[in-house]
Amino acid sequence: MATKLQVTELDFDDIKNNLKTYMKNQEEFKDYNFEGSALSTLVDLLSYNTHYLAMNANLAVNESFLDTATLRSSVVSHAKTLGYTPRSARAPIAYLDVTVNVNAANVPSVTMAKGTKFSTQMDGTTYSFTTNQALTTTPSNGILRFSNVPVYEGSLVTTKYTVDTANPDKKYLLTSDRADTTTLKVSVQTSVADATVETYSLATDITQVNATSKSFFLQESDDGKFEVYFGDGVVGAKPVDGNIVILEYVVTNKGKANGANSFSGTTVGGYSDIVIATLVAAQGGAEPETIQSIKYNAPLDFASQGRAVTTDDYKLLVPQVYADTKSTQIWGGEDNDPPVYGQVYISLQTNSGITLTQAQKDTIARSLDRYNVASVRPIFVDPQTLKLRLTTNFKFNSNVTTKSVGDLEALVRTTMTNYSNSDLEKFDGVFRFSKLSKLIDDTDPSILSNITTLKIQKSLTATLNTATKYVINFANALYHPHAGHNAMMGGITESTGFTIVGNSNTMFLNDNGNGVLRMYYLVGGTTRTYVDENVGTIDYNTGTVTLNSLNVASTVNSNNTIDIILLPKSNDVVAVRNQLLEIDLANTTITGGVDTITSGGSSAGTNYTTSSSSY
């Protein structure tokens, strides 16, 4: 009798049952008791073997595709077929001015050798920084100064290999998986007897490589180290037997020295009397590219074909040229406010939390030059943080928890922090009011409900003692009270305090509910005295606040900023262009109270004990 075979199961028990079912359909085993027999052990062995082979086949097939591969070596191999090289570890880079104190009249020039070391301390650990090229300076106004010197954290390593074409397994490896390939210099010496050296450059465009091009290629090997390889004499020059391949690169501790800003040195060009000034603190140190990042970037890199045309192309390329990139926001000039056609705008959020200096922006822009199309050049825009001020009141059932009010308030605060970290604090973030409200209710089984209100805040940096026009764009529609509504008390605008030139009173801002901003101070802490009832405008539809001419003398905030706080039209807030959303926990109030209905107190739901906690 023909038996239908079941071959789709992978689970051990299912395989075993299928084997037993198959055997029971045979005349020889029709009434056989498998459970108590020795044959059951053989069935177990067959099931185990089948399960083992099935799992092995499944895993092997998964490694055959970029999307399903889990081994780094497999992912890297698939990325290579798309022409993508994963990012190596990155060394933190600092920029220094180094002044050599010598009589410049007697010293025509000073050379800072490649490999000159500087040191710094972070958290009690000393880190070494090194130069990756020789620099020479001459006196300027009687001063010998090396300006804007890039120094890399780590040790400068030199590795040499002798070419042996008869050895098919010969590899030219960077000896550490912490090597920064952006610092790699490759050269080929003719032989031990002939010290002639030719410098090779990394091939980035195969169409520009011919049989004589002094180019090298780079790939990640199975153990995470990077390997240099050369052309075959048709695509790229091929080294010959006896040549000596010289690899120079920096081996780094990756991100451990990010933020270092105080450096010392011993000698420069033989002179020990030196003064070091830090222009840009160390930043950019990073781990090698992750498997998830390789999977994401490799297809996009293949699609971009080595040029930047779309915003997605720039989103791919910026992290490649600047390793400290956490996220990017790219938009075309046609989407800018106001529109500027023929430009591309880049806002970059860094892992280290720093704001890029102009020198860093220029460096990234130069690195993107070879990808830009026609006359399009990137314009960098600093990220702006739109803060969310929340006021939360929640009720809880004291009969189902032993936690105090303060404990629950702390847990709600943690919920808000986690939500801000996971859903906000990145480009294109959206604050979903209902989601946060539900997360607050789910913080603890005892929490029954919450009432949360929202205000949004941006800060303007005041130019002190100068009449200045300020434009603050919240890029979200604002609540618009009816004309004249609440005009005496103000509309939807609040601000932190500041003083103006010629008046020592602490001033504040509000609006009249009809689009006009006003400036006032308080008498007796409560009575508002207006000094200017038309200091600017507020556009409720676009969320744009304009202060026409404000001459600020000082601010209550220590960093010369004035916080502008508004009431949005919607409880859902969207980050637009270069905006980042963040819950302002320092100005968020969380108040918990016992629900007297469920906890067995008074029947009046409003009669409950509360404890207020402001963070």
Side-chain angles (χ1 to χ4, degrees):
M1 180 179 65
T3 302
K4 184 178 180 181
L5 300 178
Q6 299 292 331
V7 296
T8 58
E9 284 81 0
L10 293 178
D11 183 73
F12 175 86
D13 290 330
D14 290 338
I15 293 171
K16 181 178 178 180
N17 290 332
N18 286 342
L19 287 173
K20 288 162 61 176
T21 300
Y22 172 77
M23 295 180 71
K24 286 178 180 179
N25 287 328
Q26 310 303 312
E27 288 296 329
E28 295 83 353
F29 299 99
K30 190 171 184 180
D31 297 318
Y32 195 83
N33 182 3
F34 285 90
E35 300 306 322
S37 65
L39 188 58
S40 179
T41 303
L42 296 178
V43 173
D44 283 345
L45 183 61
L46 285 171
S47 300
Y48 171 78
N49 185 63
T50 304
H51 178 71
Y52 187 95
L53 293 175
M55 288 299 299
N56 190 50
N58 183 62
L59 293 173
V61 171
N62 282 344
E63 296 303 312
S64 300
F65 301 93
L66 178 63
D67 287 339
T68 55
T70 57
L71 297 176
R72 184 178 181 89
S73 57
S74 301
V75 174
V76 169
S77 178
H78 291 306
K80 184 181 178 182
T81 64
L82 297 175
Y84 184 77
T85 303
R87 186 180 65 247
S88 71
R90 290 289 190 261
I93 307 173
Y95 290 86
L96 312 176
D97 273 357
V98 181
T99 303
V100 181
N101 291 325
V102 296
N103 189 343
N106 300 325
V107 182
S109 66
V110 175
T111 297
M112 182 185 297
K114 179 177 180 176
T116 298
K117 292 185 177 181
F118 302 86
S119 62
T120 187
Q121 282 202 338
M122 290 284 290
D123 300 325
T125 302
T126 300
Y127 294 96
S128 178
F129 281 69
T130 183
T131 57
N132 196 34
Q133 61 181 341
L135 300 169
T136 300
T137 189
T138 56
S140 176
N141 297 324
I143 298 174
L144 279 161
R145 177 178 294 136
F146 296 89
S147 299
N148 205 30
V149 178
V151 292
Y152 300 80
E153 187 279 321
S155 302
L156 188 61
V157 175
T158 300
T159 307
K160 296 183 179 181
Y161 297 93
T162 300
V163 176
D164 180 8
T165 57
N167 182 2
D169 297 324
K170 186 73 174 181
K171 292 184 177 181
Y172 310 110
L173 288 172
L174 281 64
T175 56
S176 173
D177 59 4
R178 294 184 290 114
D180 182 349
T181 58
T182 64
T183 66
L184 176 63
K185 312 288 185 184
V186 177
S187 56
V188 177
Q189 183 177 325
T190 303
S191 65
V192 174
D194 187 346
T196 303
V197 174
E198 291 184 312
T199 300
Y200 280 59
S201 59
L202 178 64
T204 55
D205 187 349
I206 197 66
T207 63
Q208 303 299 315
V209 179
N210 57 38
T212 60
S213 299
K214 305 300 181 184
S215 301
F216 71 90
F217 303 89
L218 197 62
Q219 65 182 4
E220 185 179 323
S221 60
D222 291 344
D223 58 359
K225 299 174 183 176
F226 278 80
E227 175 190 352
V228 170
Y229 63 101
F230 297 92
D232 57 1
V234 177
V235 180
K238 180 180 180 180
V240 299
D241 286 342
N243 284 170
I244 300 173
V245 175
I246 305 171
L247 310 179
E248 298 175 279
Y249 49 92
V250 172
V251 175
T252 178
N253 291 298
K254 296 171 282 194
K256 292 183 178 180
N258 280 341
N261 59 9
S262 179
F263 295 86
S264 60
T266 52
T267 62
V268 172
Y271 300 97
S272 59
D273 188 2
I274 59 176
V275 177
I276 301 170
T278 304
L279 297 180
V280 180
Q283 48 81 33
E287 296 287 334
E289 188 170 8
T290 64
I291 290 176
Q292 292 76 13
S293 178
I294 297 171
K295 286 184 176 183
Y296 177 79
N297 286 326
L300 295 178
D301 182 73
F302 179 76
S304 72
Q305 294 294 303
R307 80 285 185 269
V309 176
T310 68
T311 56
D312 285 340
D313 294 339
Y314 280 99
K315 284 185 178 181
L316 168 73
L317 293 169
V318 170
Q320 292 186 19
V321 301
Y322 188 72
D324 195 36
T325 300
K326 180 179 181 181
S327 64
T328 57
Q329 179 69 298
I330 320 288
W331 66 96
E334 69 278 6
D335 296 322
N336 195 57
D337 184 19
V340 181
Y341 297 98
Q343 301 290 350
V344 60
Y345 291 85
I346 299 176
S347 192
L348 192 154
Q349 183 186 20
T350 63
N351 288 304
S352 55
I354 65 167
T355 299
L356 298 180
T357 64
Q358 188 56 50
Q360 291 169 318
K361 295 173 184 176
D362 293 341
T363 299
I364 298 172
R366 285 193 298 270
S367 299
L368 294 172
D369 275 346
R370 60 192 178 92
Y371 302 106
N372 294 327
V373 175
S375 61
V376 175
R377 293 294 179 270
I379 296 174
F380 286 87
V381 181
D382 291 332
Q384 294 183 358
T385 300
L386 179 61
K387 294 187 176 183
L388 312 174
R389 291 189 173 198
L390 304 176
T391 300
T392 294
N393 293 276
F394 67 88
K395 292 183 181 181
F396 69 97
N397 184 352
S398 61
N399 293 330
V400 298
T401 183
T402 59
K403 298 183 180 72
S404 67
V405 176
D407 292 337
L408 292 173
E409 290 170 351
L411 289 175
V412 171
R413 181 195 182 210
T414 300
T415 295
M416 290 183 176
T417 301
N418 293 339
Y419 176 73
S420 185
N421 291 337
S422 62
D423 287 41
L424 310 179
E425 300 181 26
K426 59 186 178 182
F427 294 117
D428 294 327
V430 179
F431 173 78
R432 297 294 184 188
F433 180 85
S434 60
K435 180 176 181 179
L436 178 61
S437 182
K438 184 177 185 301
L439 289 173
I440 293 172
D441 285 347
D442 293 342
T443 296
D444 189 86
S446 66
I447 295 179
L448 302 172
S449 63
N450 74 88
I451 297 175
T452 298
T453 57
L454 164 72
K455 292 181 180 180
I456 55 179
Q457 171 206 314
K458 267 193 171 184
S459 300
L460 66 86
T461 300
T463 302
L464 300 184
N465 302 311
T466 303
T468 305
K469 179 179 180 178
Y470 299 94
V471 178
I472 308 99
N473 188 5
F474 285 75
N476 280 266
L478 307 174
Y479 175 75
H480 188 182
H482 298 296
H485 172 75
N486 208 19
M488 293 299 296
M489 295 301 296
I492 63 166
T493 307
E494 303 172 37
S495 77
T496 53
F498 59 95
T499 62
I500 59 174
V501 173
N503 194 323
S504 61
N505 290 301
T506 300
M507 301 292 176
F508 302 92
L509 298 171
N510 70 8
D511 67 280
N512 66 356
N514 199 29
V516 178
L517 290 173
R518 305 177 297 185
M519 181 168 59
Y520 66 91
Y521 63 90
L522 296 174
V523 177
T526 57
T527 304
R528 299 181 182 184
T529 300
Y530 288 92
V531 297
D532 192 338
E533 297 204 38
N534 188 5
V535 73
T537 60
I538 178 171
D539 189 321
Y540 300 105
N541 294 321
T542 64
T544 302
V545 174
T546 303
L547 297 170
N548 295 325
S549 181
L550 196 62
N551 197 344
V552 179
S554 66
T555 65
V556 172
N557 295 343
S558 59
N559 54 357
N560 293 335
T561 61
I562 301 173
D563 298 336
I564 308 296
I565 304 124
L566 303 173
L567 184 65
K569 180 179 181 180
S570 169
N571 279 334
D572 288 344
V573 181
V574 181
V576 180
R577 288 187 290 274
N578 62 320
Q579 283 186 342
L580 301 169
L581 299 181
E582 175 186 323
I583 295 178
D584 184 5
L585 291 170
N587 291 293
T588 287
T589 301
I590 302 170
T591 304
V594 176
D595 184 83
T596 56
I597 297 177
T598 57
S599 299
S602 168
S603 61
T606 57
N607 183 20
Y608 55 84
T609 304
T610 65
S611 170
S612 177
S613 176
S614 180
Y615 300 92

